[in-house]
Amino acid sequence: MVRRQNKWIWTPLIVITVATSVLLSRSLDFLRETPLSFSRAYQSPSAVAVAPDGSMAVVENSKMLLTVTDPQGRLRVRVRGGSLDTDAFYYAEHVATDGHSVVVAEVRHAQSSTFVESERIIRYDMDGMRLEVLYAAQYGKGEQPRQLGRIRSLRLTGGQVTFAWVHGTAVGASVCEASGTRELLRVRLKGDDVLRAAYDPAAAKLTFTTKKGLLGQAGADGAIAWLPYGDGVRVPWGVDVTADGTVLVSELISGQVEAITGGGARTLWQGGLTYDVAAVDGGVCFTDGERVIWLDEAGTVLDSASQVALSPGFALRLVLTWASALYLVIVALWLVWRLLRLLRGQPFTEAKRRMFIASGSVLVTVVVVMGFLLSFAQRQMQSQTLGMLSQLAESISATSGAVFGDRLARINALSDYRGEDYTAVRDFMDAFCDASYRSDQNLYYILYRFEGDMLYGVMDYENTTGVRYPYCTLSGTVYGDVARTGKSLRVEGEMNIYGMWSYAVAPVYDGQELMVGLLEIGTNQYGEVVARQALIRGVLTGVLVALMMAMLLFNELTAFGDHLARRKVLRLAGGRRIALGFIRPLIFLVFMADNMDAAYIPQLSAWLGADTAAFLPPALAAALPMSFQLLAIGLSALAAGRVLDRSHPRSVLLGGFALQVAGVLTAIGALISGQYWLLLLAKGIGGVGTGAAVVTCNAMPARTDEPAEQQSLIAGLNVGVITGVVLGSSTGGYVAEYLGYWAAYVGAGLLVLTAAGLTLHSLRGSETLTLTEEDHAGRRGDTLRFLKNPKVFGFLLFIMLPYMLMMYFKDYLFPLFASDLGKTESVIGSVMLLGGALAIVLGDVVAGALIRRVGAWNAVRLSSLVSMYALGLFALNPRFETAVITICLLGIAASFGYASQGVYYNDLIRAGRIGDGKAMGVFSLFDNLGQTSGPLILSALLFMGVAAESGVIAVGAAGCVGLASLLARKGRRRHDR
């Protein structure tokens, strides 16, 4: 009765947990929204687009946030940018919508500069899900456009995306198609450059503003018609065209929006600087940096909003997301509490306690010291940079009267752009910045003129404006102070949307020593901030990895110490029993030796293959030695298992170690001779030796009659394998990097010799491990008959193989996915180390407790279910955050999955009355088949995309678990009969 009541309690709780986690995985961005307010203020909006149904898309928050509203003007979804990951935009320069989707024109700047590294056009649905990348351009170092990029506007009509672009003195329009982009028209200006441009696909006309203050239109024939607008005083900036051909312009000097028709220009709105304007059916929409303003064709304000209310759907999802997060936090705290209770029940020696205290002390000390040193270095660097900028600005200021001051004084009208004086001054100033980019200092400059209290930009290194760009008022600014006092000033670490700027401002004089303008020269120090953060992350990651490796090694030494203590107790007690705990350090040494070349074997194989096996494709040459080794391990385990049933484990182990040493020596010979085929032979020989050692270690738990001891041994094997893989690949990578490949192989050989010594020491006088005739009589079951048992082949085919496939998400799919997002190898390695650490730390505690509570078979299925659940979460929301959660969940599943599989399989061995050597040979064969076929299957399914592939694998694994459960029930009924 109690069990039935518990079932009714736990079942709905599990369903609720799964449902809330699925909701949360799809709504992670809602956790960045406050649930305490049901409206949102616009944060420095910069661009707006309106669909025919009234839906709007607004770019805000320094171009790093896209807000989409419904036709009633309520917030529907927010899409966040500012991410270096390639599945999101960084800066959204332009936006367009038709009510069915939203397209964004993105720019990404090169580090420490405002040069544009890449541009993309990305389409989202109206719920914020990214649909596709319509256009992508990557610019080399010599061809990078400056600051604004080349795309100047977007138009989305009937699902078709067109965009206007600028390239040098050329301006044109292109359309996005399934096969790429197709150019629609192109014109070239003489003596002028385009500021903004808009293309009307219905009229096939391109309208644009220029830096000389002109307004032009070009048709498909390439002829340019200049509209009667530019008067040399007005500064037109943003431009768009309505359906009836009315041209809309934002004018900067008077701070107004104007409509231009055949009858001339008329003012629709005046009230401050506006940049981009968007044509709407019967009106215009724009932003003044604080509000989103919507006018009709007569200039009447239809809407002027500085904030937006939440739609019912958005508000409901926001509340449910926060409620789900709160519930899952409570569940996580409960699980941590249960884990702590388990840990309290485990033996915790004084040595372990001191190790954790020392590790924590080292970590805190490193964090504090590195923070202090890097902060000091950053201040010194900024101080030196500012000193250099001040000296440069003052030097240019002191010589300006004799060099370019008179020319700058003559640059007054918009038509002076690209004139003789303008070109001479620009050539002089550009030379400083061009040289700084060659030395990676990346300087910029801006020259200003001022009239009254208004400061105007004349020219800048990025060439983004004309010669009378209204910048700001002088009063209350550093520019006003310099203009008033004539003394240079410097500004340290000023943040804006493009980085963190340090600059100096100095006066510019003419030949009569009269102040005619101001010079600003500076640099973007954001790259230094990024480098500092990367250095901190690298140091902390290195310290964490070193501490983790030390703790893992200490954990294995502690386990070996426990084995020695138990061995001593059993010897004093007398009898035939022998301590088998040595198999954990033994398999740890075997796998550490086997993985000493894991970090570089693909590169080494490709290098040798290119020299001595050039006919092989590079990918095949890189993968063949490792695949051959895995196959050799599986076949060797099958054969060695049969030998193990007829001989002493010591003989099989020592034979395997001899082959491993032979493989190491052959690999060193391959390095010396540069022969690819010798390396292939080395991996095969070493694989045969590893297979013999692995199957022997895996078979040893079956030679004890105590279930508790057997479970403990299998759990220890699981932890030893994972620890050996982690430490072997890490240690081998470092040794190979600093000492060479040969040193890593020598280290592997020493580890194998250590394992051989441990075998001789541990199995001395252990003849009781040799199977007696009585044992043989009870274990002469045929291998084929054993495999015909539905429970056996159901477990091997429908549990083990799908489980290995799911686990390869960590080793294969996750690195591919993360690298496509632009994540570095250190970030990817840190996440994978986190998953491995969870498996190791929890493996010592969770596996035994869970098996005792629910049984090995249920623990096996639970591990598979957790793995399916992890892959399903990622498939529902394929982003880096959910991928990290998936890696952690797979680590948790592995912490008890492998151990429970071993315990359950040992139960099957007993029931099948088959030699444990034969049975473990079959087990190792299927295990290595899973490891060999896993990457092949995943690569074959990669055409579906990582997310869809993960979902398909999870669904397929669920079907396999269900089928295995039916087969197990069938096998149980047959056994009962």
Side-chain angles (χ1 to χ4, degrees), residues 361-374:
S361 301
V362 170
L363 183 60
V364 171
T365 302
V366 169
V367 171
V368 172
V369 171
M370 286 300 301
F372 172 77
L373 290 177
L374 291 173

Side-chain angles (χ1 to χ4, degrees), residues 366-429:
V366 169
V367 171
V368 172
V369 171
M370 286 300 301
F372 172 77
L373 290 177
L374 291 173
S375 178
F376 175 76
Q378 181 72 17
R379 288 195 300 270
Q380 289 294 106
M381 193 179 302
Q382 287 182 344
S383 177
Q384 292 174 3
T385 300
L386 281 171
M388 179 270 293
L389 293 173
S390 294
Q391 292 177 5
L392 183 58
E394 291 171 359
S395 173
I396 296 174
S397 174
T399 59
S400 60
V403 179
F404 68 91
D406 289 334
R407 289 183 178 273
L408 180 63
R410 290 195 292 268
I411 302 175
N412 293 308
L414 292 173
S415 58
D416 291 332
Y417 177 74
R418 281 186 173 269
E420 181 181 351
D421 290 325
Y422 181 94
T423 302
V425 175
R426 171 169 284 282
D427 289 344
F428 175 76
M429 292 302 305

Side-chain angles (χ1 to χ4, degrees), residues 33-162:
E33 304 279 350
T34 175
L36 303 178
S37 173
F38 290 93
S39 65
R40 297 290 184 269
Y42 286 121
Q43 307 169 54
S44 60
S46 57
V48 60
V50 183
D53 64 357
S55 302
M56 285 198 302
V58 181
V59 175
E60 53 173 319
N61 191 27
S62 300
K63 303 183 181 181
M64 296 183 184
L65 178 65
L66 173 65
T67 295
V68 180
T69 68
D70 61 16
Q72 290 74 39
R74 301 169 302 190
L75 178 58
R76 179 172 180 171
V77 72
R78 286 179 135 184
V79 182
R80 296 188 180 273
S83 172
L84 295 175
D85 294 349
T86 56
D87 63 342
F89 63 85
Y90 198 84
Y91 293 132
E93 285 287 346
H94 309 285
V95 65
T97 180
D98 61 357
H100 302 289
S101 63
V102 179
V103 290
V104 169
E106 173 216 46
V107 298
R108 290 176 181 248
H109 294 98
Q111 185 171 311
S112 300
S113 78
T114 56
F115 280 51
V116 175
E117 188 176 62
S118 65
E119 290 183 277
R120 295 188 301 171
I121 298 176
I122 308 171
R123 187 197 296 269
Y124 296 87
D125 65 17
M126 297 302 287
D127 293 319
M129 291 297 295
R130 196 186 80 160
L131 300 176
E132 58 183 329
V133 176
L134 298 169
Y135 169 80
Q138 192 78 24
Y139 302 117
K141 195 166 185 179
E143 59 179 10
Q144 291 175 344
R146 302 181 183 183
Q147 192 162 342
L148 298 178
R150 292 178 180 168
I151 298 174
R152 295 303 164 90
S153 71
L154 290 171
R155 182 68 69 93
L156 178 57
T157 307
Q160 186 177 63
V161 178
T162 55

